[in-house]
Each structure stands twice: as C-alpha cells, then as structure tokens.
C-alpha cells in the first residue's frame, strides 16, 4: 500500500575530485569549491633587433594549490594544425613574491608543473612570478614577429595558460611596454587604461 515518491541522492566526494558523471537530471546543489585566481601579464620588448619578447606574469590564486600547471598552447584560433610554439620559449623561471625560486618540472614539451608549497611555502593570496622569453621572428598570421620597426604578437604563440584543480581565471590583465620609437598598439581588447604612451594596459574577460 506504499509507493516511493521522488527519491533523492546526495554525494559528498573528496575535495580533490571535481565532478560527477551520471544519467540523473542536473545537479541541484550550489556547493562548489572553486577558487578564483588573477593573472597580470607584463610584456616588454627591450631590444627589438634581437626578436625576443619578455613576459612576466604575476599569478595570484585565492587559495594556493599544491600544483599549478602552466602551458604554451599548441593551437591557434582558425588554424587546424598543431603548432610547436613552445620551441621558441627559453629562460623559464618561477619564483615566489620574495624572489625565491620554486621547483618547476617539465610535464611535456609545451607544459610545466609548478609546486608552490614543496620547498618554499607560498601562502594564499600571495603571488607567483613566472618569467620567460619567446623568440619571435616568423612572419605569418599564426605566429609572432618582432623587428626594429614593429611587432606582431599572436597571443597563443607567446602567452602561457594555467590549469589548477578547482580554480578559474578571473579578468586577466596585460601591460605592454614598447620602445619609445613606436607610437601605438592595435588590439581587439577594450580601450587602453594607461596614461603613459610607453606603457599600455588592457583587461580581458578570460585567457
């Protein structure tokens, strides 16, 4: 004389796990342990004749993870071939905000893993400093090119991305410091926020 009405099920999973796959209707819960982090990119071209762009990124997680994966994309929007952008990257170095160098392990030819808490503990809301250089001397719509007269910078070919478990990137910013002889920057990003004509600052919605 009884019937079961709308049974429910609730899963409590380890924090290290990020999702559940099931054929049941969409999850109704609101609890998600997602930590936001900010990335401020500083891009300089100190000697255009050498064809190198210098990039420094300040990465500030809301909660410092045990591991952070950084990568240089192997793709470019509108292009359907695998690109080896990472072959032009050199002098990768990661420190904490005090300048103490952190352990970085090679994960693949275009990805690296940072361990912020292995040797020198990095606290929540403190930032990592990631510095590297990229050689830019291939003139095409898919690559970056720098000479004494101008620079064409293609984002995927020189800007690193980030993966951290349970984290999401919020409003990354980018600042360009260009040679005094160059007068302007053309970009699809929102209008420049800076006052100086030698430094140009922009805000993006995502990577």
């Amino acid at each position: 004389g009884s019937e079961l009405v709308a049974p429910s099920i609730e899963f409590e999973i380890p924090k290290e796990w990020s999702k559940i796959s099931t054929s049941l209707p969409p999850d109704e819960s609101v609890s998600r342990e997602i930590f936001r982090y900010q990335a401020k990119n500083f891009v300089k071209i100190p000697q255009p004749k050498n064809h190198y762009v210098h990039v420094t990124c300040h990465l500030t997680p809301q909660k410092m993870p045990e591991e952070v994966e950084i990568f240089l994309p192997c793709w470019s929007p509108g292009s359907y071939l695998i690109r080896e952008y990472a072959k032009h990257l050199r002098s990768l170095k990661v420190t904490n905000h005090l300048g103490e160098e952190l352990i970085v392990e090679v994960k693949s030819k275009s990805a690296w893993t940072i361990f912020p808490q292995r040797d020198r503990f990095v606290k929540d809301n403190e930032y990592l400093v990631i510095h590297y250089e990229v050689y830019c001397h291939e003139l095409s719509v898919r690559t970056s090119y720098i000479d004494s007269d101008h620079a064409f910078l293609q984002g995927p070919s020189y800007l690193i991305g980030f993966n951290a478990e349970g984290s999401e990137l919020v409003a990354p910013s980018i600042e360009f410091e260009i040679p005094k002889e160059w007068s302007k920057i053309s970009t699809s990003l929102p209008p420049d926020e800076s006052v100086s004509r030698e430094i140009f600052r922009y805000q993006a919605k995502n990577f």
Side-chain angles (χ1 to χ4, degrees):
S2 300
E3 64 176 353
L4 184 63
V5 178
S8 65
I9 186 168
E10 176 180 310
F11 296 92
E12 183 175 341
I13 62 175
K15 294 180 180 179
E16 296 78 17
W17 300 2
S18 59
K19 65 180 181 179
I20 289 180
S21 297
T22 175
S23 59
L24 292 171
D27 173 28
E28 298 177 350
S29 66
V30 295
S31 175
R32 289 289 186 279
E33 192 161 12
I34 297 178
F35 301 102
R36 293 176 171 82
Y37 62 99
Q38 295 180 327
K40 296 181 178 180
N41 295 283
F42 302 89
V43 179
K44 296 183 179 181
I45 305 175
Q47 295 179 305
K49 64 181 181 180
N50 292 337
H51 316 299
Y52 275 97
V53 59
H54 294 214
V55 183
T56 300
C57 178
H58 291 181
L59 184 65
T60 310
Q62 179 186 17
K63 181 178 177 63
M64 187 63 65
E66 293 184 3
E67 299 181 9
V68 178
E69 179 187 331
I70 61 175
F71 63 91
L72 200 61
C74 55
W75 47 262
S76 185
S79 179
Y80 301 99
L81 295 176
I82 297 297
R83 305 291 169 186
E84 295 186 0
Y85 294 133
K87 69 181 180 181
H88 297 303
L89 186 148
R90 73 172 192 179
S91 304
L92 175 65
K93 181 180 179 181
V94 182
T95 70
N96 61 15
H97 69 293
L98 298 176
E100 298 173 313
E101 194 162 356
L102 303 179
I103 292 176
V104 179
E105 292 185 359
V106 177
K107 184 175 182 180
S108 70
K109 62 182 180 181
S110 60
W112 302 263
T113 303
I114 305 169
F115 299 92
Q117 302 184 37
R118 180 174 291 184
D119 271 356
R120 297 178 175 86
F121 185 75
V122 184
K123 299 178 181 179
D124 297 344
N125 293 314
E126 293 181 347
Y127 60 89
L128 305 175
V129 180
I130 304 165
H131 178 77
Y132 60 95
E133 302 171 5
V134 177
Y135 184 72
C136 305
H137 201 228
E138 182 179 349
L139 189 57
S140 77
V141 296
R142 301 174 300 274
T143 55
S144 293
Y145 180 85
I146 300 173
D147 64 17
S148 298
D149 298 320
H150 78 292
F152 176 79
L153 299 178
Q154 165 75 340
S157 71
Y158 79 101
L159 291 175
I160 57 173
F162 312 94
N163 285 324
E165 187 69 31
S167 298
E168 63 178 2
L169 183 63
V170 178
S173 65
I174 187 166
E175 177 179 304
F176 295 94
E177 183 174 337
I178 62 175
K180 295 180 180 179
E181 298 77 18
W182 299 0
S183 60
K184 65 179 181 179
I185 288 180
S186 297
T187 175
S188 60
L189 291 171
D192 173 29
E193 299 176 350
S194 64
V195 177
S196 170
R197 291 298 86 191
E198 295 172 15
I199 296 176
F200 298 78
R201 299 187 183 94
Y202 302 90
Q203 192 92 30
K205 292 182 179 180
N206 52 47
F207 175 74

